[in-house]
């Protein structure tokens, strides 16, 4: 095997000035293409110094970009999210969506129990409820239903005497009996305490 002789360039003298071609960039100044070059060069086995020279950035920028990619925290913004990380991340949201699809009538407490089953980090029911709202999953159940008995007596308030309400009672007359209510009888009205 033939040896290739090394060619050494003469060192500049102290009196000569060295012109700098490019200025090294910080991690925040790097474009997505440069970040991709760093990740690609490092995954192919390039050292930190070689990568920094190739992309023309600092060694610290190479380390930070590669570490962020490796631990899946790379962000396109200079400043990331504020506050503590979310208790339910993207993977947890997918798991919660699967739990909801499996049982659409499950309550928040039941979903919380399913999320905490076999998990290393438990989440509260408030966190599950907020995550469901953020995902756009809202329950449409009527919480406070009017209590109607078989015999119903209503006053002559405008909302009760509306055509729509009267039509509904006529439509369901076999289920409810609506008692007649005199027009002006404050003595029979339980709502007004006179």
């Amino acid at each position: 095997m033939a040896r290739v002789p090394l060619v050494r360039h003469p060192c500049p003298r102290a009196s000569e000035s060295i012109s700098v071609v490019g200025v090294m960039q910080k991690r925040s100044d790097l474009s997505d293409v440069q970040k991709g070059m760093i990740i690609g060069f490092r995954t192919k086995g390039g050292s930190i110094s070689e990568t920094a020279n190739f992309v023309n950035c600092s060694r610290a920028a190479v380390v930070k970009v590669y570490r962020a990619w490796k631990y899946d925290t790379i962000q396109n913004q200079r400043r990331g999210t504020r506050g503590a990380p979310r208790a339910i991340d993207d993977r947890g949201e997918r798991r919660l969506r699967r739990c909801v699809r499996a049982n659409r009538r499950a309550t928040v407490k039941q979903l919380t129990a399913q999320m905490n089953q076999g998990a290393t980090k438990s989440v509260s029911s408030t966190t599950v409820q907020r995550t469901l709202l953020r995902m756009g999953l809202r329950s449409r159940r009527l919480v406070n239903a009017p209590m109607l008995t078989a015999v119903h007596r209503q006053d002559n308030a405008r909302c009760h005497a509306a055509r729509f309400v009267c039509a509904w009672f006529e439509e369901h007359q076999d289920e409810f009996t609506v008692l007649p209510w005199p027009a002006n009888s404050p003595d029979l009205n339980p709502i007004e305490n006179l």
Side-chain angles (χ1 to χ4, degrees):
M1 188 166 146
R3 291 184 128 198
V4 178
L6 292 173
V7 179
R8 293 189 172 222
H9 295 286
C11 255
R13 294 184 204 137
S15 60
E16 295 178 6
S17 63
I18 302 173
S19 63
V20 178
V21 176
V23 179
M24 288 193 180
Q25 296 176 329
K26 297 178 183 177
R27 180 173 72 129
S28 60
D29 298 333
L30 294 173
S31 67
D32 290 339
V33 174
Q34 289 172 317
K35 290 178 183 178
M37 290 170 57
I38 290 171
I39 293 167
F41 205 81
R42 288 286 290 139
T43 52
K44 291 292 182 183
S47 69
I48 296 171
S49 298
E50 290 172 345
T51 308
N53 290 335
F54 179 71
V55 182
N56 192 23
C57 65
S58 65
R59 290 169 38 101
V62 170
V63 170
K64 288 177 183 177
V65 167
Y66 186 70
R67 186 179 295 148
W69 173 79
K70 188 174 179 182
Y71 296 110
D72 198 29
T73 57
I74 196 162
Q75 296 175 353
N76 294 330
Q77 305 171 4
R78 181 172 182 177
R79 182 176 174 90
T81 57
R82 295 183 182 138
R86 290 186 171 164
I88 299 178
D89 55 354
D90 293 338
R91 185 176 177 189
E93 283 184 9
R94 289 192 300 270
R95 182 175 177 213
L96 183 60
R97 192 177 297 272
R98 282 194 306 269
C99 291
V100 169
R101 283 183 183 158
N103 184 6
R104 292 198 180 268
R105 295 190 180 270
T107 63
V108 173
K109 288 185 180 182
Q110 292 170 343
L111 292 172
T112 305
Q114 286 180 348
M115 288 294 291
N116 291 335
Q117 185 179 13
T120 56
K121 185 178 176 184
S122 64
V123 293
S124 68
S125 59
T126 307
T127 303
V128 171
Q129 186 173 10
R130 287 181 184 158
T131 307
L132 288 170
L133 291 174
R134 192 175 64 242
M135 291 167 50
L137 299 173
R138 291 172 173 79
S139 65
R140 301 289 184 208
R141 252 188 262 169
L142 185 62
V143 178
N144 294 327
M147 299 300 290
L148 296 177
T149 58
V151 177
H152 184 68
R153 177 174 232 171
Q154 61 182 2
D155 57 355
N156 288 328
R158 284 181 139 183
C159 59
H160 297 158
R163 278 187 231 145
F164 179 76
V165 175
C166 292
W168 187 87
F169 273 115
E170 285 178 18
E171 195 176 301
H172 296 92
Q173 66 185 357
D174 54 332
E175 300 171 31
F176 300 101
T177 304
V178 179
L179 297 177
W181 191 270
N184 292 320
S185 59
D187 56 330
L188 295 177
N189 194 346
I191 298 172
E192 298 176 9
N193 295 325
L194 295 176

